[in-house]
Amino acid sequence: MPTGDIRRLIAPRSIALIGASAWTDAVAAGNAAIGYQGTVWRVHPTRASTPATTFYRSVAELPGSPDAAFVAVPNHDAPGVARELKARGAGGFVCFTAGFSELGTESGHALTRALVENAGDLPFFGPNCYGFVNFFDRAALLPDQVVGSSIERGVAVICQSGTIALTLSFNDRSVPIGYLFTVGNQTRLAVEDLIESLCDDTRVTAFGLYLEGVKDPERFARAADKARRAGKPIAVVKSGRTAAAARTAHSHTGALAGADSVFEAFCRQAGLARCDTLGTLCETLKLFHTGGALAGRKVLVMGASGGDMAMTADVSRSLDIDFAPIPREQELVLRELLTDRVTISNPFDIHTYLWFDPPALGRVFGAVLRAGYDAVGFMLDCPPEAKADTASFDAAIDAFIGASHGAPSRAALIASLPETISARVRRRCLDGGVIPLQGQREALEALALAGAVGHAWRANPSLQLQISPGGTGSGAAYSLSEYGGKVALKEFGVTIPRGELASAGAAAGRAADLGFPVVIKAVGAHLEHKTEVGGVALNIHNAAQAETAARRLSALSDSLLVEQMTTDGVAEILIGLIVDPQFGQVLMLGAGGVLTELLSDSVTLLPPWTRESVKAALRGLKVGKLLGGYRGKPAGDLEALIDTVLNVTRYASANLATLVEIDVNPVIVRPKGSGAIAVDVMIRLINPA
């Protein structure tokens, strides 16, 4: 929905509060607390007016057309109120009332349809929605305490949970919240609508999201890309990390592709900072607000405590942070200032030799802030102001702030404990261009995430989701035989073993024609998992072995596949592709063969699939070390493997409307220059609609 369609609603000059007394009274109180300067009208069918407040009996009686309305009436009355607001020319509404489609009942869905029909083109939040606060323009449609004040620049927080929205507004971390939205059922206005609209608001610096699901993945992807182009990064907490995809796993690919892995891939490629906790979300938003995403992952952390630096190294061991050594030029400057008593390293324990010499301390800060790092953190925990003398701490902080002016590196003051950096110090830092980060773990996570976002923005193309316009077919899914799947992929350039179908009686002769060693397999659409039923015979070196194997396998299938056996493999790789219910076609790469379950070594990729993205993904796998040559073994044919991956995706794109799943496991990667061979293939399709 275009920005102009919701601007009147979210920055109203007149508000109508309709319905339940307790809730609408709370909205009125919130507007008074925030200093709302517009007109507030009250609507209630029976409530008596007072000298201070007039209660109108209906929307039709209002003296004017409200820009925004808060609707807190019984659910069966809400569609009628929506009709009245539409007729009155309102700008939109918040439907606080619950009891709609979230119930999952036919009556709930019917009420939702009636609400949508009666609202016409009016924008609205909800139903089952807690409302919003606009701190920029000082307007609130929130039936609870409004905590915060008017600001000129800040982040937009958008939540699918009213309670979590309130929790974020209650933070004591100096997160500058300009908008606080809850979206309820997202029947009309969804998260992606707000992102798209607010990208054009120059006061918004970044977005913070709490999600339980994505309503329209394609529009969400476009909104994220618009935010990226506007230079407004997104930090997100999404629940459901442990929930598996709600479908039957027919293959290794299906078993590996949980629903959350797809959203994780979306965030990684689109450049969204996915946070585990609200604390990390807050710290990441502060970092984004004070200058956007980091240019990269190169970070230096320093402090006057060896213990702090040791903990920094330990806490960061699972984070993607590059603690690059201090360059030689700056090392010489630091050694002159700190002498040989201090080890020059990163993380950097500067000791306390210069603690009471702020000018010299400032020169230390200046050297590292100009050493080519994307961010420099000064770790310092201050004593409680009411109980201790903070003068020396203030002096050190002032020296750091002063040194940061004009420096190319982003500067952050990091407190190990959230409470050891006061509101006064946070304000001092923010006014001086330094990011006050609270909590060692949250701070380091925020730095890692901001660096990952900057890297993704710079390196990754915009997502191009592959979702079938009409959905994926109808009717029962079916599997191609292994041979049928191989033939289908061969037409798109995938190399398969030399082989042919044969009867049990002819299999030995075909094996001799191909040349030993060979593999013989029972084939058929009913044999998706041949190894589990003994349907594969490997390492057949002569005709007698071939005849024995053929007799045994004939009990499983009348048709046998005889193929040359690849004996010079360097690595075995899984190439899989599933159709996610929301995000469409998703590629998975991982360790193949018997290592698939043992290593759990896989990566998920959303389109566009490029040579560069596939190469980076393969190199990031544990098994990727084998491709480069490991412990004297030959390097694998990486380029041929990439060709194979891209050819599989070409087949998937060409069969967008009917493809359910592809599992190529394994692809045997031969030595460099010798190619890569898809030795087992499973393809599941569905009849087109």
Side-chain angles (χ1 to χ4, degrees):
M1 189 168 286
T3 304
D5 289 338
I6 70 167
R7 188 65 199 161
R8 187 179 165 202
L9 167 60
I10 66 174
R13 289 172 293 181
S14 59
I15 296 173
L17 307 181
I18 305 168
S21 300
W23 298 112
T24 56
D25 285 352
V27 178
N31 276 291
I34 202 174
Y36 178 62
Q37 299 297 305
T39 300
V40 177
W41 291 312
R42 306 296 298 272
V43 178
H44 195 282
T46 61
R47 195 170 176 184
S49 297
T50 69
T53 305
T54 299
F55 284 90
Y56 299 93
R57 297 295 167 243
S58 67
V59 172
E61 291 185 16
L62 291 174
S65 174
D67 292 322
F70 185 86
V71 179
V73 300
N75 61 350
H76 55 270
D77 291 335
V81 173
R83 182 190 300 110
E84 293 178 11
L85 288 168
K86 171 65 177 173
R88 199 72 179 80
F93 61 93
V94 169
C95 188
F96 171 70
T97 305
F100 289 80
S101 56
E102 78 275 7
L103 298 178
T105 63
E106 179 50 42
S107 61
H109 290 303
L111 282 173
T112 297
R113 291 191 293 269
L115 184 70
V116 170
E117 181 179 351
N118 289 357
D121 59 357
L122 281 187
F124 65 86
F125 291 92
N128 186 30
C129 175
Y130 219 55
F132 67 87
V133 183
N134 177 346
F135 291 101
F136 293 127
D137 302 301
R138 293 185 293 173
L141 275 83
L142 190 83
D144 213 308
Q145 298 181 76
V146 174
V147 177
S149 57
S150 179
I151 60 174
E152 294 182 0
R153 293 177 68 254
V155 302
V157 174
I158 309 169
C159 297
Q160 289 180 336
S161 164
T163 298
I164 287 180
L166 284 175
T167 299
L168 290 169
S169 74
F170 297 161
N171 82 86
D172 190 19
R173 292 173 178 260
S174 299
V175 180
I177 298 177
Y179 287 115
L180 182 73
F181 291 103
T182 68
V183 292
N185 293 359
Q186 302 190 93
T187 298
R188 175 61 56 81
L189 288 175
V191 171
E192 49 267 26
D193 297 298
L194 294 171
I195 295 172
E196 283 190 340
S197 295
L198 298 179
C199 278
D200 299 323
D201 191 328
T202 57
R203 301 170 298 181
V204 173
T205 55
F207 294 94
L209 312 180
Y210 171 76
L211 302 179
E212 294 167 357
V214 177
K215 180 181 177 182
D216 185 336
E218 289 184 284
R219 288 208 51 220
F220 188 76
R222 289 198 299 271
D225 191 57
K226 183 175 181 180
R228 169 181 178 167
R229 287 183 279 109
K232 300 183 179 187
I234 298 172
V236 56
V237 171
K238 182 182 178 295
S239 60
R241 278 190 181 271
T242 59
R247 56 183 170 78
T248 301
H250 284 266
S251 65
H252 295 299
T253 300
L256 291 171
D260 192 69
S261 68
V262 178
F263 187 77
E264 187 78 25
F266 176 91
C267 291
R268 183 180 66 250
Q269 291 178 241
L272 277 63
R274 188 172 185 193
C275 308
D276 278 331
T277 66
L278 297 183
T280 300
L281 180 72
C282 287
E283 301 314 302
T284 305
L285 286 175
K286 276 191 291 188
L287 206 157
F288 284 163
H289 170 74
T290 55
L294 294 180
R297 302 182 175 97
K298 192 176 177 182
V299 173
L300 179 138
V301 175
M302 60 184 170
S305 164
D308 281 348
M309 296 306 99
M311 286 191 64
T312 295
D314 286 347
V315 170
S316 301
R317 67 189 183 279
S318 61
L319 302 177
D320 194 2
I321 293 177
D322 177 12
F323 287 115
I326 295 173
R328 179 65 176 168
E329 179 182 350
Q330 282 74 30
E331 181 184 353
L332 293 174
V333 173
L334 294 169
R335 194 166 297 286
E336 182 178 351
L337 289 165
L338 295 167
T339 75
D340 290 336
R341 294 174 297 180
V342 175
T343 300
I344 310 300
S345 61
N346 183 16
F348 184 23
D349 175 12
I350 63 174
H351 293 259
T352 55
Y353 300 119
L354 302 180
W355 184 254
F356 295 104
D357 187 352
L361 199 57
R363 289 194 289 276
V364 171
F365 294 146
V368 294
L369 283 162
R370 289 159 178 80
Y373 291 96
D374 298 306
V376 171
F378 175 35
M379 184 167 286
L380 184 67
D381 290 86
C382 300
E385 294 178 357
K387 301 178 181 179
D389 182 1
T390 64
S392 66
F393 293 83
D394 289 343
I397 293 168
D398 285 344
F400 186 58
I401 293 172
S404 72
H405 294 160
S409 298
R410 300 274 291 282
L413 183 69
I414 301 173
S416 298
L417 299 176
E419 62 270 21
T420 56
I421 179 169
S422 68
R424 176 186 64 84
V425 171
R426 296 197 301 269
R427 183 73 266 158
R428 196 170 189 163
C429 287
L430 288 168
D431 289 344
V434 169
I435 313 148
L437 297 177
Q438 293 168 259
Q440 184 181 47
R441 178 73 192 188
E442 294 98 321
L444 293 168
E445 286 178 348
L447 290 167
L449 288 166
V453 170
H455 174 79
W457 281 10
R458 184 176 65 255
N460 294 347
S462 299
L463 289 175
Q464 299 170 12
L465 301 184
Q466 292 193 172
I467 301 174
S468 177
T472 303
S474 62
Y478 63 95
S479 297
L480 299 181
S481 69
E482 178 186 344
Y483 186 69
K486 285 179 173 176
V487 170
L489 291 183
K490 182 180 180 182
E491 293 178 0
F492 283 80
V494 174
T495 301
I496 63 175
R498 284 186 59 222
E500 56 186 283
L501 293 175
S503 65
R510 296 290 186 271
D513 293 341
L514 288 171
F516 297 106
V518 299
V519 177
I520 303 179
K521 303 177 182 180
V523 295
H526 63 294
L527 292 170
E528 288 181 353
H529 305 289
K530 292 181 290 295
T531 56
E532 295 178 7
V533 295
V536 180
L538 302 172
N539 296 304
I540 296 172
H541 290 276
N542 54 55
Q545 291 177 351
E547 289 176 357
T548 300
R551 282 196 300 271
R552 179 177 65 81
L553 294 174
S554 65
L556 298 174
S557 173
D558 293 332
S559 182
L560 304 181
L561 176 60
V562 185
E563 293 180 328
Q564 277 191 328
M565 186 171 174
T566 303
T567 58
D568 60 349
V570 171
E572 295 188 355
I573 302 294
L574 175 147
I575 303 173
L577 198 142
I578 57 113
V579 179
D580 182 78
Q582 284 199 304
F583 289 92
Q585 291 190 348
V586 179
L587 175 68
M588 294 196 67
L589 304 173
V594 297
L595 297 179
T596 300
E597 290 89 354
L598 290 176
L599 294 184
S600 297
D601 180 26
S602 64
V603 64
T604 303
L605 292 176
L606 292 166
W609 299 300
T610 66
R611 198 165 198 88
E612 293 74 21
S613 66
V614 170
K615 180 179 288 188
L618 290 168
R619 285 179 169 168
L621 295 171
K622 298 172 189 174
V623 75
K625 293 180 180 179
L626 297 176
L627 298 172
Y630 189 68
R631 294 193 173 183
K633 297 294 180 67
D637 198 333
L638 178 61
E639 296 305 318
L641 175 59
I642 295 170
D643 287 338
T644 303
V645 173
L646 295 177
N647 289 337
V648 170
T649 66
R650 287 176 53 237
Y651 172 86
S653 300
N655 292 274
L656 183 62
T658 58
L659 183 67
V660 175
E661 189 174 9
I662 301 175
D663 193 73
V664 186
N665 184 27
V667 173
I668 296 181
V669 184
R670 303 177 67 199
K672 188 174 181 179
S674 301
I677 301 177
V679 299
D680 199 356
V681 171
M682 190 276 288
I683 296 178
R684 285 171 54 78
L685 303 169
I686 200 165
N687 291 318

